[in-house]
Structure formats: structure tokens, C-alpha cells
Amino acid sequence: LLWQVSEREEKLARIKVSREFVDHCRRWWLGCRSLEHSHPCSRREVYELVSRVGDALSGLLDFADLSAFSRPVDQALKERLLLAATDRGELCWAPLPLNGHDLCRHWNRKPGPWLGPMLAELQAAWACREVDSGEKLLAYSAAMLR
């Protein structure tokens, strides 16, 4: 409904819908902008798109078939993205084998602004299968602390 409306946020704010629906729309719009600018090639790019778009992915890929979408998305990429959103794809959605408490204890540091970005990067590396164990995650985190 609000695909080509420039002031969609203002219009969406005036429609009585749930916050969950508004968040879904925002993820969908973000995915549309991302796919119109470039198509993900690397695992990292696939991870970034799939994790940002979340449950709006299947609707987004359906919309990408319509003529209103300025940049066609081929079937192979659609299948790759849909598989990546599940455990059957190239990404690993299993929980990290460590958490923020583990990192603070291991590095003898207090929680702070360093922890959130580090956990996000570790989650991305884990999901993209760049690291495959808790020990490798700690080594990766060491490089980030330098």
C-alpha cells in the first residue's frame, strides 16, 4: 500500500495497526531498498540481509517479482535467501556457544559499550561459518579487542 509513498512513515503512523506490523513494514522496506541497490553475493551479505529483514523476507521476494520492483531478483538468489533463513541453508542459526558473561569473564572486563558490537560480530562470524567453535570465537574476539 505504501510502497511508493515518500512520507510512508508519517502515513503509517496515522494508520491504526500494531507495532509488530509497523516493524514488519520497516523490515520489508529496508529489504526492498537493499535488493534494489545490490544483490547479496557473499555469505556476509546474505546474512546481513536475511537477519535485517527477518520474517518479511518471503513477502519481499514475492514482491520482487512484480513490475513495480526496479531490479529483478533471479530465482536462484530467491532460493538461496529463503534457504539461508532456515537451518537448511548456508548460514548457521544455532546459538553461539558463549555469551556476554563468558566474554566478560574470559577477558576480565566489565560489561560496557564494547560488548554488544562484539557479540553482534561474533554472531555474524558464527552464522557465516567463519568460525566453528567456542575457542575460535574467543580467538576472533581477541583480534577485535586489539
Side-chain angles (χ1 to χ4, degrees), residues 2-3 8-9 12 18-36 46-61 63 69 81 85 93:
L2 300 172
W3 167 240
R8 68 176 67 113
E9 285 290 333
L12 189 58
S18 69
R19 183 180 313 254
E20 180 179 287
F21 180 77
V22 171
D23 291 342
H24 182 90
C25 288
R26 286 184 179 130
R27 288 191 306 275
W28 187 85
W29 289 325
L30 176 68
C32 285
R33 282 195 305 269
S34 293
L35 282 177
E36 284 192 321
V46 167
Y47 171 76
E48 291 298 325
L49 179 66
V50 170
S51 62
R52 276 186 281 143
V53 174
D55 64 350
L57 182 65
S58 64
L60 168 64
L61 296 177
F63 181 76
F69 201 76
L81 291 171
W93 294 105

Coordinates of all heavy atoms in Angstrom, one line a residue, residues 2-3 8-9 12 18-36 46-61 63 69 81 85 93:
L2 N 1.9 1.3 0.8 CA 2.7 2.5 0.9 C 4.0 2.4 0.2 O 5.0 3.1 0.5 CB 3.0 2.8 2.4 CG 1.7 3.0 3.3 CD1 2.1 3.1 4.7 CD2 1.0 4.2 2.8
W3 N 4.1 1.5 -0.8 CA 5.4 1.2 -1.4 C 6.0 2.5 -2.0 O 7.2 2.8 -1.8 CB 5.2 0.2 -2.5 CG 6.4 0.0 -3.4 CD1 6.4 0.2 -4.8 CD2 7.7 -0.3 -3.1 NE1 7.6 0.0 -5.3 CE2 8.5 -0.3 -4.3 CE3 8.4 -0.6 -1.9 CZ2 9.8 -0.5 -4.3 CZ3 9.7 -0.8 -2.0 CH2 10.4 -0.8 -3.2
R8 N 6.0 7.7 3.8 CA 5.3 6.5 4.3 C 5.3 6.3 5.8 O 4.4 5.8 6.4 CB 5.9 5.2 3.7 CG 7.3 4.9 4.1 CD 7.8 3.6 3.5 NE 7.9 3.7 2.0 CZ 9.1 3.6 1.4 NH1 10.2 3.4 2.0 NH2 9.1 3.7 0.1
E9 N 6.4 6.8 6.5 CA 6.4 6.7 8.0 C 5.3 7.5 8.6 O 4.7 7.1 9.5 CB 7.8 7.2 8.5 CG 8.9 6.2 8.3 CD 8.8 5.0 9.2 OE1 8.2 5.0 10.3 OE2 9.4 3.9 8.7
L12 N 2.0 5.8 7.8 CA 1.9 4.5 8.6 C 1.6 4.9 10.1 O 0.8 4.1 10.7 CB 3.2 3.7 8.5 CG 3.2 2.3 9.1 CD1 2.2 1.5 8.5 CD2 4.6 1.7 9.0
S18 N -0.8 -2.6 14.6 CA 0.1 -2.9 15.8 C 1.5 -2.5 15.5 O 1.9 -2.3 14.4 CB 0.0 -4.5 16.0 OG 0.7 -5.1 14.9
R19 N 2.2 -2.4 16.6 CA 3.7 -2.1 16.5 C 4.4 -3.2 15.7 O 5.3 -2.9 15.0 CB 4.3 -1.9 17.9 CG 5.7 -1.5 17.9 CD 6.3 -1.3 19.3 NE 5.4 -0.5 20.1 CZ 5.6 0.7 20.5 NH1 6.7 1.3 20.1 NH2 4.8 1.3 21.3
E20 N 4.0 -4.4 15.9 CA 4.6 -5.5 15.2 C 4.4 -5.4 13.7 O 5.3 -5.6 13.0 CB 3.9 -6.8 15.7 CG 4.4 -8.1 15.1 CD 3.7 -9.3 15.6 OE1 4.0 -9.7 16.8 OE2 2.9 -9.9 14.8
F21 N 3.2 -4.9 13.3 CA 3.0 -4.7 11.8 C 3.9 -3.6 11.3 O 4.5 -3.7 10.2 CB 1.5 -4.4 11.6 CG 1.2 -4.2 10.1 CD1 1.2 -5.3 9.2 CD2 1.1 -2.9 9.6 CE1 0.9 -5.1 7.9 CE2 0.8 -2.7 8.3 CZ 0.7 -3.8 7.4
V22 N 4.0 -2.5 12.1 CA 4.8 -1.4 11.7 C 6.3 -1.9 11.5 O 7.0 -1.5 10.6 CB 4.7 -0.2 12.7 CG1 5.8 0.9 12.4 CG2 3.3 0.4 12.6
D23 N 6.8 -2.6 12.5 CA 8.2 -3.1 12.4 C 8.3 -4.0 11.2 O 9.4 -4.0 10.6 CB 8.5 -3.9 13.7 CG 8.6 -3.0 14.9 OD1 8.8 -1.7 14.7 OD2 8.6 -3.5 16.1
H24 N 7.3 -4.9 10.9 CA 7.4 -5.8 9.8 C 7.5 -4.9 8.5 O 8.3 -5.2 7.6 CB 6.1 -6.6 9.7 CG 6.1 -7.6 8.6 ND1 6.6 -8.9 8.7 CD2 5.6 -7.5 7.4 CE1 6.5 -9.5 7.6 NE2 5.9 -8.7 6.7
C25 N 6.7 -3.9 8.4 CA 6.8 -3.0 7.2 C 8.1 -2.3 7.1 O 8.7 -2.3 6.0 CB 5.7 -1.9 7.3 SG 4.0 -2.5 7.1
R26 N 8.7 -1.9 8.2 CA 10.0 -1.3 8.1 C 11.1 -2.3 7.7 O 11.9 -1.9 6.9 CB 10.4 -0.7 9.5 CG 9.7 0.5 9.8 CD 10.1 1.1 11.1 NE 9.4 2.3 11.4 CZ 8.8 2.6 12.6 NH1 8.8 1.7 13.6 NH2 8.1 3.7 12.7
R27 N 11.0 -3.5 8.1 CA 12.0 -4.5 7.7 C 11.8 -4.8 6.2 O 12.7 -5.0 5.5 CB 11.8 -5.8 8.5 CG 12.3 -5.7 9.9 CD 12.4 -7.0 10.6 NE 11.2 -7.8 10.6 CZ 10.2 -7.6 11.5 NH1 10.3 -6.7 12.5 NH2 9.1 -8.3 11.4
W28 N 10.5 -4.8 5.8 CA 10.2 -5.1 4.4 C 10.8 -3.9 3.5 O 11.4 -4.2 2.5 CB 8.7 -5.2 4.2 CG 8.3 -5.6 2.9 CD1 8.2 -6.9 2.4 CD2 7.8 -4.8 1.8 NE1 7.7 -6.9 1.1 CE2 7.5 -5.6 0.7 CE3 7.7 -3.4 1.7 CZ2 7.0 -5.1 -0.5 CZ3 7.2 -2.9 0.5 CH2 6.9 -3.7 -0.6
W29 N 10.6 -2.7 3.9 CA 11.1 -1.5 3.1 C 12.6 -1.6 3.1 O 13.2 -1.3 2.1 CB 10.6 -0.2 3.7 CG 9.1 0.0 3.5 CD1 8.4 -0.3 2.4 CD2 8.2 0.7 4.4 NE1 7.1 0.0 2.5 CE2 7.0 0.7 3.8 CE3 8.4 1.3 5.6 CZ2 5.8 1.2 4.3 CZ3 7.3 1.8 6.2 CH2 6.0 1.8 5.6
L30 N 13.2 -1.9 4.2 CA 14.7 -2.0 4.3 C 15.2 -3.0 3.3 O 16.1 -2.8 2.6 CB 15.1 -2.3 5.7 CG 16.6 -2.5 5.9 CD1 17.3 -1.2 5.7 CD2 16.8 -3.1 7.3
G31 N 14.5 -4.2 3.3 CA 14.9 -5.2 2.3 C 14.7 -4.8 0.9 O 15.6 -5.1 0.0
C32 N 13.6 -4.1 0.6 CA 13.4 -3.6 -0.8 C 14.5 -2.7 -1.2 O 15.1 -2.8 -2.3 CB 12.1 -2.9 -0.9 SG 10.6 -4.0 -0.9
R33 N 14.9 -1.7 -0.3 CA 15.9 -0.8 -0.7 C 17.3 -1.5 -0.9 O 18.0 -1.2 -1.8 CB 16.1 0.3 0.4 CG 15.1 1.4 0.4 CD 15.4 2.6 1.2 NE 15.7 2.2 2.6 CZ 14.8 2.2 3.6 NH1 13.6 2.5 3.3 NH2 15.1 1.9 4.8
S34 N 17.5 -2.5 0.0 CA 18.8 -3.3 -0.1 C 18.8 -4.0 -1.5 O 19.8 -4.0 -2.2 CB 18.9 -4.3 1.0 OG 19.1 -3.6 2.2
L35 N 17.7 -4.7 -1.8 CA 17.7 -5.5 -3.1 C 17.7 -4.6 -4.3 O 18.2 -5.1 -5.4 CB 16.6 -6.5 -3.1 CG 16.7 -7.7 -2.2 CD1 15.5 -8.6 -2.3 CD2 17.9 -8.5 -2.7
E36 N 17.2 -3.4 -4.2 CA 17.2 -2.6 -5.4 C 18.5 -2.0 -5.6 O 18.9 -1.7 -6.8 CB 16.1 -1.4 -5.2 CG 14.7 -1.9 -5.4 CD 13.7 -0.8 -5.6 OE1 13.8 0.2 -4.8 OE2 12.8 -1.0 -6.4
V46 N 24.5 -12.0 2.5 CA 23.3 -12.8 2.7 C 22.8 -12.7 4.1 O 21.7 -12.5 4.4 CB 23.5 -14.3 2.2 CG1 22.3 -15.1 2.7 CG2 23.6 -14.3 0.7
Y47 N 23.8 -12.9 5.1 CA 23.5 -12.8 6.5 C 22.9 -11.5 6.9 O 21.9 -11.4 7.6 CB 24.7 -13.1 7.3 CG 24.5 -12.9 8.8 CD1 23.8 -13.8 9.6 CD2 25.0 -11.7 9.4 CE1 23.6 -13.5 10.9 CE2 24.8 -11.5 10.7 CZ 24.1 -12.4 11.5 OH 23.8 -12.1 12.8
E48 N 23.5 -10.4 6.4 CA 23.1 -9.1 6.7 C 21.7 -8.8 6.3 O 20.8 -8.3 7.0 CB 24.0 -8.0 6.1 CG 25.4 -8.0 6.8 CD 25.4 -7.6 8.2 OE1 24.5 -6.8 8.6 OE2 26.2 -8.1 9.0
L49 N 21.4 -9.2 5.0 CA 20.0 -9.0 4.5 C 19.0 -9.9 5.2 O 18.0 -9.4 5.7 CB 20.0 -9.3 3.0 CG 18.6 -9.2 2.4 CD1 18.1 -7.7 2.4 CD2 18.6 -9.7 0.9
V50 N 19.3 -11.2 5.4 CA 18.3 -12.1 6.0 C 18.1 -11.7 7.4 O 16.9 -11.7 7.9 CB 18.8 -13.6 5.8 CG1 17.9 -14.5 6.7 CG2 18.7 -14.0 4.4
S51 N 19.1 -11.3 8.2 CA 18.9 -11.0 9.6 C 18.2 -9.7 9.8 O 17.4 -9.5 10.7 CB 20.2 -11.1 10.3 OG 21.1 -10.1 9.8
R52 N 18.4 -8.7 8.9 CA 17.7 -7.4 9.0 C 16.3 -7.5 8.6 O 15.4 -6.9 9.2 CB 18.4 -6.4 8.1 CG 19.6 -5.7 8.8 CD 20.2 -4.6 7.9 NE 21.0 -5.2 6.9 CZ 21.0 -4.7 5.6 NH1 20.3 -3.7 5.3 NH2 21.8 -5.3 4.8
V53 N 16.0 -8.3 7.6 CA 14.6 -8.4 7.0 C 13.8 -9.3 7.9 O 12.6 -9.1 8.1 CB 14.7 -8.8 5.5 CG1 13.3 -9.0 5.0 CG2 15.4 -7.7 4.7
G54 N 14.3 -10.4 8.4 CA 13.6 -11.3 9.2 C 12.4 -12.0 8.5 O 12.5 -12.4 7.4
D55 N 11.3 -11.9 9.2 CA 10.1 -12.6 8.7 C 9.4 -11.9 7.6 O 8.5 -12.4 7.0 CB 9.1 -12.8 9.9 CG 8.5 -11.5 10.4 OD1 9.1 -10.4 10.1 OD2 7.6 -11.5 11.2
A56 N 9.9 -10.8 7.1 CA 9.4 -10.1 6.0 C 10.0 -10.6 4.7 O 9.6 -10.2 3.6 CB 9.7 -8.6 6.1
L57 N 11.0 -11.5 4.8 CA 11.7 -12.0 3.6 C 10.8 -12.6 2.5 O 10.9 -12.3 1.4 CB 12.8 -13.0 4.0 CG 13.7 -13.5 2.9 CD1 14.5 -12.4 2.3 CD2 14.6 -14.6 3.4
S58 N 9.9 -13.5 2.9 CA 9.2 -14.2 1.8 C 8.3 -13.3 1.1 O 8.1 -13.3 -0.1 CB 8.4 -15.4 2.4 OG 7.4 -14.9 3.3
G59 N 7.6 -12.3 1.8 CA 6.8 -11.3 1.1 C 7.6 -10.4 0.3 O 7.2 -10.0 -0.8
L60 N 8.8 -10.1 0.7 CA 9.7 -9.2 0.0 C 10.1 -9.9 -1.4 O 10.1 -9.3 -2.4 CB 11.0 -8.9 0.8 CG 12.2 -8.3 0.0 CD1 11.8 -6.9 -0.5 CD2 13.4 -8.3 1.0
L61 N 10.4 -11.2 -1.3 CA 10.8 -11.9 -2.5 C 9.6 -12.1 -3.4 O 9.8 -12.1 -4.7 CB 11.5 -13.3 -2.1 CG 12.8 -13.1 -1.4 CD1 13.3 -14.5 -1.0 CD2 13.8 -12.3 -2.2
F63 N 7.2 -9.9 -3.7 CA 7.1 -8.5 -4.3 C 8.2 -8.3 -5.4 O 7.9 -7.6 -6.4 CB 7.2 -7.5 -3.2 CG 7.1 -6.1 -3.7 CD1 5.8 -5.6 -4.1 CD2 8.2 -5.2 -3.9 CE1 5.7 -4.3 -4.6 CE2 8.1 -3.9 -4.4 CZ 6.8 -3.5 -4.7
F69 N 8.9 -3.4 -8.8 CA 10.3 -3.6 -8.3 C 11.3 -3.3 -9.4 O 11.3 -3.9 -10.5 CB 10.5 -5.0 -7.8 CG 11.6 -5.2 -6.8 CD1 11.4 -4.7 -5.5 CD2 12.8 -5.7 -7.1 CE1 12.4 -4.9 -4.5 CE2 13.8 -5.9 -6.2 CZ 13.6 -5.4 -4.9
L81 N 18.3 -17.1 -0.6 CA 17.9 -16.3 0.5 C 16.9 -17.0 1.4 O 17.0 -17.0 2.6 CB 17.3 -15.0 0.0 CG 18.3 -14.0 -0.6 CD1 17.6 -12.8 -1.2 CD2 19.4 -13.5 0.4
A85 N 17.5 -18.4 5.4 CA 16.7 -18.0 6.5 C 16.4 -19.2 7.4 O 15.8 -19.1 8.4 CB 15.5 -17.3 6.0
W93 N 22.2 -20.9 12.2 CA 21.4 -20.1 13.1 C 21.4 -20.6 14.5 O 20.7 -20.2 15.4 CB 20.0 -20.0 12.6 CG 19.9 -19.2 11.3 CD1 19.8 -19.7 10.0 CD2 20.1 -17.8 11.1 NE1 19.8 -18.7 9.1 CE2 20.0 -17.5 9.7 CE3 20.3 -16.7 12.0 CZ2 20.1 -16.3 9.2 CZ3 20.4 -15.5 11.5 CH2 20.3 -15.2 10.1

